[in-house]
Amino acid sequence: MIFGGNKVECPRCLGKGVVEKEDIIRLDRVLHWAPDSCAYCQGQGKVSTEMVEMVPPGLSYLSTNLPFYEREALIKGDPAAWERAEYDELVAQLYIDEIIFLHRHDLSNEQIVSFFQLRSSLSPQEESREELEVYVQRVIEHLTV
């Protein structure tokens, strides 16, 4: 951890070291996360009180694939890192909103996946068709909840 001092139970995973479905629901990250190792406490179950004060446990940008230097910058309050975190959240929400929009305009899941695959061929972020199919289905199922 970057900060020393008092350690408390991780507010993201509640001390388990892994984020489970219940944690995802509790933190309102259903369309943003999947169960995995806890990026907030790095699987330790405990974090410093300073960490809790600086970084909200529901911050999606703080993920297991975030580079160490970016994690440090975010935790230290670097304005550029926080700007990237806000941008990441915005892009994720726009992605979800686009799926909902296309679904409500009667595109099938297959057509929505094809749309995103076509678009991703024009950008550096490529996801497998299977990952897209699962995610599109997840977003659409969440609409009926």
Side-chain angles (χ1 to χ4, degrees):
M1 283 267 87
I2 292 172
F3 300 111
N6 296 330
K7 299 281 183 172
V8 296
E9 181 179 86
C10 176
R12 185 180 279 190
C13 70
L14 301 179
K16 300 179 300 283
V18 294
V19 175
E20 298 172 336
K21 184 177 180 180
E22 295 77 23
D23 302 311
I24 294 167
I25 292 167
R26 174 176 48 82
L27 293 167
D28 194 23
R29 301 280 85 195
V30 172
L31 298 177
H32 299 264
W33 294 346
D36 200 352
S37 177
C38 182
Y40 198 83
C41 67
Q42 296 182 307
Q44 301 300 306
K46 298 265 184 201
V47 295
S48 68
T49 54
E50 294 91 348
M51 171 78 166
V52 175
E53 291 169 7
M54 291 294 295
V55 182
L59 182 68
S60 292
Y61 188 63
L62 185 60
S63 64
T64 56
N65 61 351
L66 192 67
F68 179 76
Y69 62 86
E70 183 71 356
R71 177 185 172 83
E72 278 191 352
L74 191 68
I75 294 169
K76 288 179 180 178
D78 178 65
W82 279 95
E83 188 174 312
R84 289 186 292 273
E86 289 172 14
Y87 176 78
D88 183 73
E89 184 69 27
L90 176 64
V91 168
Q93 190 58 53
L94 289 172
Y95 199 77
I96 292 165
D97 292 345
E98 249 181 325
I99 292 170
I100 293 168
F101 176 84
L102 295 170
H103 173 72
R104 288 189 173 150
H105 284 80
D106 297 323
L107 269 73
S108 68
N109 290 15
E110 182 73 22
Q111 289 171 315
I112 295 170
V113 169
S114 294
F115 168 80
F116 282 107
Q117 279 209 302
L118 175 63
R119 190 172 71 187
S120 73
S121 69
L122 305 173
S123 71
Q125 291 182 314
E126 290 191 33
E127 299 177 48
S128 76
R129 185 166 190 87
E130 184 177 297
E131 287 174 320
L132 282 169
E133 288 170 353
V134 168
Y135 188 69
V136 166
Q137 183 62 37
R138 206 165 118 202
V139 170
I140 291 169
E141 285 173 358
H142 187 69
L143 285 174
T144 61
V145 174

